[in-house]
Amino acid sequence: MAEAAVSVRPEKPPRNWWLWGTALAFLVLMTWWSARGIGFSINELVCNIGGGRRLLQESWPPDFSFLPRLFAPFLETVQIAIIGTVVGAILAIPISVLAARNLTLGMFVWFVDRNFMNILRTLPDLFWAMLFATAVGFGPIAGALALTVFTIAVVSKLYSESLEAIDMGLTEAIRAAGGSWWQMVQYGALPQSLSQYVSYVLYGFELNIRASMILGLVGAGGIGMILETQRSNFEYERVTMIILVVLVAVLVIEQVSAVIRRRLT
Amino acid sequence: MNPSAGNSATGIRFRKARVVYPNGTVGMKDLDLEIKPGEFVVIVGSSGAGKSTLLRAINGLNPISDGTIEVGGRSVPQKESAELRRLRARIGMIFQDFRLVKRLTVMSNVLVGRLAHVPGWRAMLNLWPAHDKEIAFRALERVGIADKAWIKAGQLSGGQQQRVGIARALAQEPSIILADEPVASLDPVTSRQVMDDLVRINRELGITTLVNLHFLDLAQEYGQRIVGLRNGELVYDGTPDTVTEADFQRIYGRAVTEDDLKLSGESHG
Ligand SMILES: Nc1ncnc2c1ncn2[C@@H]1O[C@H](COP(=O)(O)OP(=O)(O)OP(=O)(O)O)[C@@H](O)[C@H]1O
Ligand SMILES: [Mg+2]
């Protein structure tokens, strides 16, 4: 009893103000330096706001009569996104597994796969669209191939990290029962991380619908191609309509995937 | 209708077997031990004594750095290989934390025990032969939870989950069962039920069974033979009724206390 009474409570260690101060100063300096670098100034922004307003006025209201003509290209966009997502999501599985330190087949395979993944991710989707457009010609096939690569890049990065966090006890139980490496992955690792995988794939699908607008710029099919023609013809009310359609599509997909994700967990 | 058809109980022999972990810890020190086919052996020791190390050396989960371990007269391969997988296919393992896929059905979990027994492409496509499903069902019947076959494993109680773990091991049609503290996360009553299951399976099917237990009282109650470990060394090997207080001292490094007798007291009450 007497012993408990004299227990000494440790004092809260002081906050490291120096560290916080330096970090904050560094951030402010970096921002200022960057703004200077790109020639950003509040003055100019205010002066040019008139131009922006004119553009906005020309873009309003959206041209609803244009809507029926969007149906076919929008469908094509969705199809491109579906193919890119499905094929990419399947290919992302082995790539993620080999990039997860706890599951990979040796340091060499891990290293090669990791770097492959990083290269995929570093190169932008536009690059892939142009590459495939030159390879297979302009059109939806090029778009689907570009989105496949894009999906692999997005999903494998996220999923390999989820795989590294799985409970290895289960995979060990499968090895103990005489399971092979692939059986350990298929029956031990993947079922544990299925819900994360599905939510990354749905996220990839959202990004793909969005990306298909940009892909149109290089003639990779879908609604983006219409967007590009209308924009270069200064048909801003139609451009607004197109943006609205994509916006609604993305919002709907987001809601649906949120529901699916909730049911999975 | 004979689930044990094809497996003959298998003996295990350690000869100066030594396990050194990558960080230099010696988990097992030149162990000499022979376990006869069909024996029910309980291994006791305090935390860190090397109980898990011993079990995991038998199915090659922990490689040995010296000496040999023979299972059924053949030495345990020390590298991941088809031969090692074939050996593991006939050794069932049961874990303290069950190690089930919680979001899959009980049946799917038990079928994991058949993975090494069906052609690779079938396992890959999840196309299980009727014969193997039958084996899985019989394994569930043997531990009395066949009615739970299509329920998700995560929805079962701890004791039921451990029975699924046992059924998974039985589905391997094993000649050896290794149980690493199978009752450590269960309450005393459930612990006894699970231990009873293990003893019954050992008697009915003649499967050589090694069970790690933390506490001596449960070991004395169930073991035909008790092996005591301390710091990776064998410090006791004998029948349950000949354990003296000196033996206890050697195994646990301290004298017997009231607490140690609590569990057995309950069982007689
Ligand atoms: N993977 C590992 N790496 C390094 N040392 C380990 C490893 N696993 C076990 N050890 C060490 O080996 C010794 C024996 O451990 P082991 O797990 O076999 O003991 P145990 O008797 O099963 O203990 P517990 O009752 O806590 O499960 C301990 O000193 C432990 O710290
Ligand atoms: Mg242990």
Side-chain angles (χ1 to χ4, degrees), chain A residues 167-170 172-184 186-188 190-192 194-195 264, chain B residues 56 59 61 80 85 88-89 91 93 95 99-101 103-104 112 115-116 120 123-126 128 168 172:
Chain A
D167 168 19
M168 289 303 281
L170 195 57
E172 193 183 70
I174 287 166
R175 281 207 300 143
S180 62
W181 176 80
W182 177 251
Q183 290 171 343
M184 171 191 95
Q186 187 185 349
Y187 285 87
L190 301 186
Q192 270 186 71
L194 183 74
S195 62
L264 267 173
Chain B
R56 296 161 53 87
N59 60 8
L61 286 178
E80 294 292 327
R85 285 204 301 279
R88 284 174 178 166
I91 302 179
M93 196 162 196
F95 304 86
R99 303 201 176 172
L100 308 175
V101 188
R103 39 170 303 277
L104 294 186
V112 163
L115 274 179
M124 182 123 170
L125 300 175
N126 218 355
W128 299 93
R168 177 176 63 190
Q172 290 176 244

Side-chain angles (χ1 to χ4, degrees), chain A residues 130-141:
Chain A
M130 283 193 303
L131 185 81
F132 288 120
T134 357
V136 301
F138 290 99
I141 305 276

Side-chain angles (χ1 to χ4, degrees), chain B residues 107-125:
Chain B
M107 192 46 145
S108 307
N109 276 287
V110 176
L111 281 170
V112 163
R114 297 307 301 160
L115 274 179
H117 300 264
V118 299
W121 65 270
R122 277 187 169 275
M124 182 123 170
L125 300 175

Side-chain angles (χ1 to χ4, degrees), chain A residues 38-253:
Chain A
I38 62 169
F40 180 86
S41 93
I42 301 284
N43 259 349
E44 249 175 83
L45 191 71
V46 172
C47 292
N48 280 336
I49 231 161
R53 184 190 296 155
R54 216 172 316 120
L55 183 67
L56 279 182
Q57 272 166 353
E58 278 175 42
S59 314
W60 201 259
D63 181 1
F64 278 94
S65 66
F66 192 53
L67 196 56
R69 279 174 57 194
L70 284 180
F71 184 70
F74 179 70
L75 210 65
E76 191 175 67
T77 284
V78 173
Q79 287 162 342
I80 293 171
I82 287 178
I83 293 178
T85 309
V86 170
V87 179
I90 292 170
L91 294 178
I93 293 177
I95 293 174
S96 310
V97 168
L98 293 176
R101 236 177 278 248
N102 49 344
L103 299 173
T104 190
L105 292 165
M107 280 320 280
F108 179 73
V109 175
W110 177 80
F111 183 79
V112 171
D113 190 57
R114 262 274 131 136
N115 282 301
F116 173 69
M117 244 171 65
N118 286 339
I119 291 169
L120 289 192
R121 205 169 56 253
T122 312
L123 297 169
D125 39 1
L126 260 189
F127 166 85
W128 294 111
M130 283 193 303
L131 185 81
F132 288 120
T134 357
V136 301
F138 290 99
I141 305 276
L145 287 172
L147 290 186
T148 299
V149 176
F150 184 60
T151 308
I152 296 176
V154 171
V155 173
S156 63
K157 165 72 180 164
L158 295 168
Y159 191 41
S160 65
E161 268 160 30
S162 295
L163 284 173
E164 282 185 347
I166 60 165
D167 168 19
M168 289 303 281
L170 195 57
T171 56
E172 193 183 70
I174 287 166
R175 281 207 300 143
S180 62
W181 176 80
W182 177 251
Q183 290 171 343
M184 171 191 95
V185 170
Q186 187 185 349
Y187 285 87
L190 301 186
Q192 270 186 71
S193 51
L194 183 74
S195 62
Q196 281 113 313
Y197 174 72
V198 171
S199 79
Y200 299 149
V201 171
L202 290 170
Y203 175 58
F205 185 59
E206 270 170 57
L207 291 183
N208 282 346
I209 292 278
R210 246 170 273 183
S212 62
M213 281 222 286
I214 313 260
L215 292 190
L217 292 179
V218 294
I223 205 163
M225 230 139 100
I226 308 287
L227 177 74
E228 179 53 17
T229 2
Q230 301 307 321
R231 194 195 59 80
S232 43
N233 291 338
F234 306 106
E235 297 275 11
Y236 290 125
E237 292 177 353
R238 290 180 169 183
V239 168
T240 314
M241 193 62 239
I242 296 170
I243 293 175
L244 211 62
V245 165
V246 176
L247 185 74
V248 170
V250 168
L251 287 179
V252 168
I253 292 167

